[in-house]
Every structure is written in structure tokens, then in C-alpha cells.
Amino acid sequence: GARRHDCRHEEGVRVGPVTPMPTFPLIEYADAPPEVREVFDDIKRTRNIPDVNNFWKALANHPAALKQVWEEVKQVMAPGALDPLTKELIYVAVSATNGCEYCTATHTASARNKGATQEQIAEALAVAALANKTNRLANGYRVPVDSGL
């Protein structure tokens, strides 16, 4: 699960966010079976990084899911009709509105690495927040879809 967004106060002292215990252990490369190492190697090679991040280490508890998700990430996040930065900004906005602190943090870092400015990230978050608000209003009012759309 994601971290809680509230902070606890004990005896007037502010304490940081509560971090829940992971549901599964993180699988390190040295402890990984061959099929997991194969995916980890592909992630490291593709991203030119020395180690995979914690998401992949957690997903390695289910090697078939690890492989399937990584293949999908490579396909969907590759350059296409949308450039990689635009895809990352969408990922940041959706992750934030879904309340996934981990994905928001990692994809914000990835967007910055692809050249995103603070203004671009803030604007993507503002668009997502507005869309969520107007979506809820439209659903609440049960607004019929205009003819001709």
C-alpha cells in the first residue's frame, strides 16, 4: 500500500509519514532465480541503470507478472504517437490521483530526467485534479452526453 498522507503528532512533536510494512520481501539480484535475473538484466540494460528499483524487486515475488508487466512497460512507454516526456507526465498525474505515492515519486523523477520542468509537472497535476473534479460533478449530476459527440 501507499504511505499514509497524514502525520502523527506525539507529545507535540511532528512525526513523519507512516510507512507500512511491505506485503512481500524485496527480491535482490543475488537472491533472484534465473528467470527473475533475466528480467532484471533487461531492465538494467534498457534503462542503463546499475540496479532495478523497489517496484521490480517486489514484483519479482511473482516472476510471470514481473516479466509481463516489464514487457508492457517497454511497449507502452516507448516513443509513439506521444513522446516519452508526455507519457511520463500522464503517468505522474494518474499516479497522483490514484494516490500511489511510490509511482508518483518514481515517475516524477523519470519526467525530470526526461527534461520536465516544475511548471510542466505542476500543470499536469492541475489538469488531472480538474479532470477528477469535473468528472465527479458530471457523474453526480448524471449529465447526459451531448448529441453529436
Side-chain angles (χ1 to χ4, degrees), residues 20-39:
M21 293 296 297
T23 304
F24 293 94
L26 301 180
I27 306 297
E28 297 296 336
Y29 189 88
D31 303 319
E35 66 269 23
V36 168
R37 285 186 182 195
E38 182 180 324
V39 176

Side-chain angles (χ1 to χ4, degrees), residues 42-100:
D42 190 33
I43 294 168
K44 293 188 295 185
R45 188 173 41 255
T46 300
R47 294 185 166 173
N48 194 27
I49 54 175
D51 195 13
V52 299
N53 65 24
N54 286 343
F55 174 77
W56 301 111
K57 292 176 183 179
L59 205 52
N61 284 280
H62 188 234
L66 171 70
K67 182 176 178 61
Q68 186 278 321
V69 172
W70 171 241
E71 292 300 324
E72 188 173 3
V73 165
K74 286 193 302 184
Q75 188 268 321
V76 171
M77 297 304 286
L82 296 175
D83 64 275
L85 175 56
T86 300
K87 291 181 179 193
E88 286 297 343
L89 290 170
I90 292 168
Y91 219 116
V92 169
V94 171
S95 297
T97 62
N98 282 340
C100 182

Side-chain angles (χ1 to χ4, degrees), residues 7-16:
C7 295
R8 290 188 269 172
H9 298 269
E10 297 173 11
E11 299 178 16
V13 177
R14 184 169 184 256
V15 180

